[in-house]
């Protein structure tokens, strides 16, 4: 019996092929879209959950008016010693050059000539693998981290340098001096859903041996990333509440400082590691994080797309069922029971939804490469899970959309059906009109959201940042000592025909900046935090940053090496009127306090992304702390200019590879998340509108079919073509206008 229901259902679906196609494809697109976004959302929510008992993993952060991720190096192991509830702790840090720019090192297999520039290197405590669960493939990681001359590498790096041979015991030659480090352990490649990634690990044992007296490893330097593994059952909030009083025995701060911090709820806090990717927006993240708001936006877009598809499906199903009123009447007259008719309509509805499941898999497979490209990483599709999800959804949608014809139409009397009273039911017409309004209202909301995001992206792209970003090449300086012959390199580049100007800096706009406190000599207790950048003489000229007051650094003035230039925000925060040119400034860096004269104030410019307000920044003249060359070029004969620039560069730095990027492209990468969200939301908005339009097309076809006799009579009586079109379109136009208004 059940088999007959589905056979008859398939016959009816094939008989009304256009109606079936509209219904099936609309639902298939809705199912595919919500599944793809669900996979993406699951990926975003899965960050750092691959560790054993991730609920016990925390990062220590420092919270004040400008909260940050970095805390003192000794803090991790001190917590293990002083708090029994802390099972293990680790301190780690990328290898930083000046200004928190990652160092680049040149690696090679000593038996080969090929060199590779590597940046993804972490320095860690020997307890690293006590806290994190990154699987070891070969070697003894714990023992390796106790040796100064050891290095740990990922599987992909082992294959890159040593092919199919075992990497254990082999050496890697580092930089031009070919300093050798020995591979003593190999770990699996870091999963995509980790909030930080690395290809190489070196021990703090090595780093401290190179600079044993560095204040970088002291309590006064907030320069490391500290993580804890708490014992099961530990209340992290209770432990967090003890931290500030506990630090009194390690930090030489006054009681007044501690009281002020307590009043403002400043201090050390424990941040769950599973919250970092989507919910952390602190300074100096190890990597750019995701954004919970964008995940919510895309999730809502997918849900609304599916909702439109479901509403569309229900609307067309109920409308088409009403067309079959005579069939219902005849069947009931011939003795069909109500439950038989109900099962028949449910079978047709469920069959349509099941066909949509099959088509949705095809859509997923075809759109997967594009979707992965937009998100920037491959998606893990588990079709077994999807089939269970889709089949359950298909049955649910089929049952819901089939309830009306199954229960209502099958229950009316044959007398009413055969007289046609059912078709003219005012309640049924109002219900379908309401569904159309709902569909198009949601579509318009999605389209409006996509337009808003597009306008926002246009604003981000076109806003005047306060400096010249066009036709400026960024060339990384990979030698951590900078170019010892920088002036000669600069003169060689400036002499090239396609080069307009050359400068250098430790940091470039859009990247992270180191930060320390500054104060005026007259009010040393009033400090503000300021980002800092080390620059050469021509930095402001090359970047076209306008000087508001005072002057720039001058070659003919050797004393400028001790002086400072600030931006307007720093000047205003140090002194309400901003008139500070000529005053003495105290700059408290990692090593010691430095004093110098403020010789100039430059106009504010956006040295960080537009997500951030303009903050204080300090500029210091240097010759040895450069990380980037900034070369302004002519667009004419660009290819030849690049070749000439590379040739000059290689004369001064033969060990490392030559790379370049345009500054404006680098800046635009800050807004990748917005761009991806805008593109995906536009796709979903268009898809939702398309599904709604298909539904409207199907509804209009049925309406015109029902009014075929009326149209014929009106035409015979003299109605013009324009009048007929107006009559047919008026109802739908009003519904769409209502949707737009909503």
């Amino acid at each position: 019996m059940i088999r007959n229901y589905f056979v008859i259902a398939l016959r009816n679906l094939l008989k009304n092929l256009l109606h079936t196609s509209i219904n099936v494809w609309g639902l298939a697109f809705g199912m595919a879209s919500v599944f793809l976004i669900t996979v993406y959302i699951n990926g975003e929510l899965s960050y750092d959950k691959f560790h054993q008992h991730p609920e016990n993993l925390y990062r220590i952060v420092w919270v004040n008016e400008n909260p940050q991720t970095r805390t003192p190096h000794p803090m991790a192991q001190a917590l293990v010693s002083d708090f029994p509830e802390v099972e293990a702790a680790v301190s780690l840090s990328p290898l930083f050059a000046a200004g928190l720019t990652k160092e680049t090192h040149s690696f090679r297999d000593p038996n080969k000539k090929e060199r590779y520039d590597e940046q993804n290197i972490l320095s860690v405590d020997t307890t690293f693998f006590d806290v994190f669960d990154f699987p070891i493939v070969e070697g003894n990681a714990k023992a390796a981290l106790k040796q100064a001359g050891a290095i740990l590498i990922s599987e992909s790096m082992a294959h890159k340098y040593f092919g199919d041979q075992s990497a254990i015991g082999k050496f890697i030659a580092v930089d031009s001096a070919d300093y050798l480090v020995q591979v003593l352990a190999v770990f699996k490649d870091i999963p995509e859903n980790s909030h930080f990634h690395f290809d190489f690990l070196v021990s703090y044992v090595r780093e401290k041996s190179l600079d044993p007296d560095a204040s970088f490893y002291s309590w006064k330097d907030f320069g490391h990333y500290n993580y804890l593994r708490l014992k099961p059952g530990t209340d992290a909030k209770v432990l967090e509440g003890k931290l500030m009083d506990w630090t009194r025995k390690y930090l030489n701060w006054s009681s007044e400082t501690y009281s002020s911090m307590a009043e403002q709820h400043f201090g050390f806090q424990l941040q769950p590691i599973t919250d970092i990717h989507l919910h952390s927006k602190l300074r100096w993240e190890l990597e750019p994080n995701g954004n919970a708001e964008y995940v919510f936006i895309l999730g809502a877009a997918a849900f609304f797309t599916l909702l439109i598809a479901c509403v569309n499906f229900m609307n067309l199903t109920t409308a088409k069922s009403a067309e079959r009123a005579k069939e219902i009447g005849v069947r009931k007259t011939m003795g069909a029971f109500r439950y038989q008719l109900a099962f028949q309509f449910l079978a047709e509805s469920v069959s349509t939804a099941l066909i949509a499941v099959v088509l949705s898999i095809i859509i997923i497979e075809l759109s997967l490469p594009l979707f992965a490209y937009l998100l920037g990483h491959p998606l893990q599709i588990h079709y077994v899970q999807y089939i269970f999800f889709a089949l359950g959804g298909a049955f649910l949608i089929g049952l819901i959309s089939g309830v009306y014809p199954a229960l209502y139409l099958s229950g009316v009397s044959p007398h009413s059906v055969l007289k046609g009273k059912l078709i003219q039911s005012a309640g049924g017409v109002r219900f379908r009109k309401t569904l159309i309004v709902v569909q198009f209202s949601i579509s318009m909301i999605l389209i409006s959201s996509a337009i808003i995001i597009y306008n926002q992206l246009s604003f981000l792209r076109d806003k005047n940042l306060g400096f010249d970003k066009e036709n400026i090449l960024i060339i990384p300086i990979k030698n951590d000592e900078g170019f010892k012959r920088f002036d000669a390199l600069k003169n060689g580049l400036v002499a090239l025909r396609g080069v307009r100007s050359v400068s250098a800096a430790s940091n470039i706009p859009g990247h992270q900046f180191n930060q320390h406190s500054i104060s005026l000599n007259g009010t040393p207790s009033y400090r503000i935090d300021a980002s800092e950048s080390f620059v050469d003489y021509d930095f402001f000229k090359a970047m076209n940053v306008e000087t508001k007051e005072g002057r720039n650094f001058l070659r003919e003035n050797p004393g400028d090496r001790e002086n400072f230039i600030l931006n307007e925000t720093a000047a205003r925060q140090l002194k309400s009127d901003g008139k500070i040119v000529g005053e003495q400034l105290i700059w408290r860096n990692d090593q010691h306090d430095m004093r110098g004269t403020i010789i100039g104030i430059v106009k504010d410019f956006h040295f960080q992304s537009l997500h951030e307000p303009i903050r204080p920044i300090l500029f210091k003249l240097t010759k040895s702390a450069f990380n980037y060359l900034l070369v302004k070029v002519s667009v004419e004969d660009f290819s030849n200019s690049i070749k000439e620039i590379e040739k000059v560069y290689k004369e001064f730095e033969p060990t490392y590879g030559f790379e370049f990027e345009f500054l404006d492209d680098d800046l635009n990468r800050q807004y990748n998340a917005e761009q991806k969200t805008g593109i995906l939301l536009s796709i979903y908005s268009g898809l939702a509108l398309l599904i709604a339009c298909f539904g409207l097309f199907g509804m209009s076809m049925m309406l015109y079919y029902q009014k075929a006799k009326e149209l014929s009579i009106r035409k015979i009586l003299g109605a013009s073509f324009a009048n007929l079109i107006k009559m047919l379109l008026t109802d739908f136009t009003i519904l769409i206008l209502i949707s737009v208004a909503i």
Side-chain angles (χ1 to χ4, degrees), residues 548-560:
K548 181 182 179 183
E549 188 180 348
R551 62 176 176 83
N552 288 338
F553 298 119
L554 299 175
R555 293 188 196 295
E556 54 270 25
N557 190 343
D560 276 356

Side-chain angles (χ1 to χ4, degrees), residues 62 219-220 222 244 247-248 250-258 261 268:
W62 173 249
W219 272 94
K220 71 176 184 178
F222 282 47
M244 287 306 290
T247 59
R248 288 176 184 265
Y250 297 107
L251 292 169
N252 188 25
W253 293 346
S254 66
S255 297
E256 291 77 12
T257 299
Y258 275 101
M261 288 180 180
F268 295 105

Side-chain angles (χ1 to χ4, degrees), residues 233-480:
T234 300
D235 189 329
K237 282 295 177 186
V238 172
L239 176 61
E240 181 180 284
K242 302 175 184 178
L243 292 182
M244 287 306 290
D245 282 339
W246 167 74
T247 59
R248 288 176 184 265
K249 71 180 192 177
Y250 297 107
L251 292 169
N252 188 25
W253 293 346
S254 66
S255 297
E256 291 77 12
T257 299
Y258 275 101
S259 298
S260 174
M261 288 180 180
E263 289 174 5
Q264 300 175 79
H265 303 287
F266 291 166
F268 295 105
Q269 292 184 7
L270 299 182
Q271 182 182 44
I273 191 174
T274 52
D275 286 355
I276 291 175
H277 178 65
L278 287 181
H279 303 286
S280 183
K281 298 179 181 178
L282 306 180
R283 273 187 299 157
W284 302 324
E285 293 287 353
L286 281 165
E287 292 180 14
N289 287 328
N291 191 316
E293 294 171 1
Y294 299 148
V295 172
F296 173 79
I297 288 170
L298 293 177
F303 170 77
F304 284 134
T305 302
L306 181 61
L307 180 62
I308 287 173
C310 293
V311 168
N312 196 57
F313 185 81
M314 292 171 61
N315 214 358
L316 289 172
T317 300
T318 54
K320 192 66 180 176
S321 299
E323 267 189 26
R324 295 166 61 185
K326 289 184 179 179
E327 176 192 339
I328 297 169
V330 171
R331 286 187 177 218
K332 296 201 79 170
T333 302
M334 297 295 290
F337 293 107
R338 181 178 182 182
Y339 79 88
Q340 291 175 318
L341 292 172
F343 272 117
Q344 181 62 57
F345 285 116
L346 288 173
E348 291 184 16
S349 181
V350 171
S351 296
T352 306
L354 290 175
I355 295 170
V357 171
V358 177
L359 293 178
S360 69
I361 294 175
I362 297 173
I363 294 169
I364 290 170
E365 276 298 306
L366 292 175
S367 58
L368 203 56
L370 173 63
F371 207 78
Y373 170 75
L374 291 174
L375 294 177
H377 58 80
L379 295 176
Q380 297 294 324
I381 301 293
H382 301 287
Y383 279 114
V384 174
Q385 296 177 2
Y386 174 65
I387 288 172
F388 279 110
F389 156 80
L391 288 177
F395 274 105
L396 181 63
I397 295 166
L399 290 173
I400 292 173
S401 59
V403 162
Y404 172 73
L407 298 183
Y408 180 64
L409 295 180
S410 64
V412 298
S413 66
H415 178 75
S416 299
V417 172
L418 294 174
K419 279 193 170 184
K421 292 181 180 179
L422 179 65
I423 298 176
Q424 315 211 355
S425 165
V429 172
R430 281 196 300 271
F431 177 68
R432 288 194 291 276
K433 286 183 176 180
T434 301
L435 291 181
I436 290 173
V437 171
V438 169
Q439 278 184 301
F440 277 90
S441 294
I442 295 172
S443 299
M444 296 303 164
I445 290 169
L446 290 176
I447 289 170
S448 300
S449 302
I451 291 171
I452 289 169
I453 290 180
Y454 174 79
N455 288 338
Q456 183 73 356
L457 286 170
S458 298
F459 169 78
L460 294 173
R461 185 175 58 250
D462 300 333
K463 179 173 172 56
N464 182 0
L465 300 178
F467 61 89
D468 188 359
K469 62 180 181 178
E470 302 297 329
N471 303 325
I472 293 181
L473 297 182
I474 306 168
I475 302 174
I477 298 176
K478 299 175 180 179
N479 189 330
D480 60 357

Side-chain angles (χ1 to χ4, degrees), residues 216-228:
F216 182 54
Y217 302 105
S218 69
W219 272 94
K220 71 176 184 178
D221 187 282
F222 282 47
H224 300 258
Y225 301 83
N226 289 311
Y227 292 82
L228 305 177

Side-chain angles (χ1 to χ4, degrees), residues 158-195:
H159 182 75
K160 176 179 176 180
Y161 284 92
F162 307 109
D164 296 330
Q165 300 177 19
S166 171
I168 300 300
K170 290 187 169 57
F171 289 89
I172 293 177
V174 182
D175 296 336
S176 56
D178 278 350
Y179 170 76
L180 295 179
V181 291
Q182 189 175 27
V183 179
L184 293 184
V186 177
F187 51 85
K188 276 191 173 294
D189 289 350
I190 307 307
E192 181 72 33
N193 58 343
S194 173
H195 77 278

